[in-house]
Amino acid sequence: MGIENRVALVTGSASGMGKQTALRMAENGAKIVINDVVPERVEKTVAEFKEAGFEVIGEVADVSNKEAVEKMVKSAVDAFGGIDILVNNAGLEKAGILRKLSEEDWDITINVNLKGAFLCSQAVHHYMVEKNHGRIINIASRAWLGGVGQAPYSSAKAGMVGLTRTLGLELGRKGVTVNCIAPGLIHTPLWDKAPEKLKKRLLSKQPTGKLGEVDDIANAVMFFSDDDTEFVTGQVLYVCGGRSLFAG
Ligand SMILES: NC(=O)c1ccc[n+]([C@@H]2O[C@H](COP(=O)([O-])OP(=O)(O)OC[C@H]3O[C@@H](n4cnc5c(N)ncnc54)[C@H](O)[C@@H]3O)[C@@H](O)[C@H]2O)c1
């Protein structure tokens, strides 16, 4: 049971819920690959993890770039001998209603969230199949159900749900589970900076009346990563305080 001595690559893990997830994994005995596209953040996060005594390496790579992803995975395998857990967490959102969105907004949102998850899964799955053991966890969003001003983001996250279900089917007999987490409103620095009026409106739609914390996502990732969670694949787990229960 657990994830002790497993190797975990968490993309976009120099910030937010990815960083907290990587920390929880390290505390539970996993070897960690911190990835992010911002070099200073990777350096800082790796230094913090080392200071805490964890086994960690840092890889600066843009997950939407195939060559960079392959290089990152090779370095991680050279350092730790394989990759057992992949968390496709790197993401961003370019928001706007249809007439205001640019082609660039669409491309970058789809490329980082969806193509990134595809490229990283493709690059790591050989190592998982070799061992007949692997865990892929995709961080989508409740917004895959649809949201005003969220066409690229909702489409990318819906694509991640399709990717999860398909890879669950393809890799099921090879010891690799593939699952998806759909977070709702999570307490991050972005929230703290949001206008009070917007915060009030968003909170009024939360059935639980509150935000989630980054640890709520880390908890869900820990469940899907566990050696014992082998009979759960292709699933979407909403961690959104019940917000998925109604549309709009
Ligand atoms: N925060 C929320 O309320 C919320 C809700 C639903 C879903 N999500 C999803 O959860 C994930 C993490 O969100 P967060 O709030 O912790 O975000 P965050 O911005 O704090 O962290 C995301 C990290 O990804 C990195 N990143 C961006 N583009 C990258 C690329 N091309 N390659 C590698 N790294 C890249 C960023 O530099 C950043 O450090 C995202 O996929 C996001 O869409 C967040």
Side-chain angles (χ1 to χ4, degrees):
M1 172 163 182
I3 58 166
E4 202 169 356
N5 290 320
R6 294 294 186 189
V7 180
L9 164 59
V10 185
T11 69
S13 53
S15 169
M17 55 181 82
K19 184 171 177 181
Q20 187 63 17
T21 296
L23 184 63
R24 287 285 300 282
M25 288 179 151
E27 287 166 351
N28 281 274
K31 299 167 190 170
I32 305 296
V33 184
I34 298 288
N35 154 263
D36 210 284
V37 76
V38 183
E40 310 79 64
R41 282 193 200 163
V42 172
E43 207 178 305
K44 184 172 175 286
T45 306
V46 168
E48 287 168 14
F49 276 54
K50 281 193 175 152
E51 177 73 28
F54 300 133
E55 274 195 81
V56 64
I57 60 165
E59 291 293 329
V60 178
D62 173 353
V63 294
S64 66
N65 178 317
K66 185 176 163 79
E67 209 183 315
V69 166
E70 286 175 348
K71 202 165 150 260
M72 163 174 76
V73 169
K74 187 177 178 311
S75 304
V77 171
D78 287 348
F80 290 139
I83 294 179
D84 306 298
I85 302 164
L86 166 67
V87 185
N88 283 312
N89 168 79
L92 51 76
E93 174 173 16
K94 295 288 175 189
I97 55 168
L98 190 57
R99 74 185 155 77
K100 292 201 169 164
L101 286 166
S102 67
E103 187 178 352
E104 290 73 30
D105 292 335
W106 177 267
D107 286 346
I108 192 171
T109 308
I110 298 290
N111 285 345
V112 174
N113 292 281
L114 180 55
K115 185 180 170 188
F118 160 69
L119 290 176
C120 292
S121 303
Q122 192 177 50
V124 304
H125 86 284
H126 309 286
Y127 302 102
M128 297 179 171
V129 169
E130 242 171 43
K131 282 198 193 170
N132 199 34
H133 176 92
R135 303 280 182 262
I136 298 175
I137 299 115
N138 294 322
I139 309 298
S141 168
R142 182 209 63 87
W144 85 275
L145 295 169
V148 173
Q150 294 191 295
Y153 188 67
S154 175
S155 304
K157 297 303 194 183
M160 288 179 84
V161 173
L163 183 69
T164 302
R165 293 173 61 94
T166 299
L167 298 189
L169 289 168
E170 290 185 7
L171 301 174
R173 286 174 188 271
K174 302 182 194 307
V176 181
T177 66
V178 188
N179 289 290
C180 185
I181 295 167
L185 275 185
I186 304 296
H187 191 189
T188 60
L190 205 63
W191 174 266
D192 292 329
K193 285 184 223 143
E196 285 308 316
K197 208 171 148 195
L198 175 67
K199 287 187 190 171
K200 210 169 159 200
R201 185 166 60 76
L202 292 172
L203 276 178
S204 73
K205 292 186 175 180
Q206 287 291 110
T208 52
K210 59 182 181 181
L211 296 175
E213 298 295 331
V214 285
D215 250 325
D216 291 311
I217 305 306
N219 286 340
V221 176
M222 290 297 292
F223 168 72
F224 285 130
S225 304
D226 198 292
D227 281 2
D228 276 353
T229 311
E230 61 183 7
F231 203 50
V232 182
T233 197
Q235 302 304 307
V236 180
L237 177 64
Y238 290 94
V239 183
C240 66
R243 182 64 181 82
S244 60
L245 295 171
F246 61 93

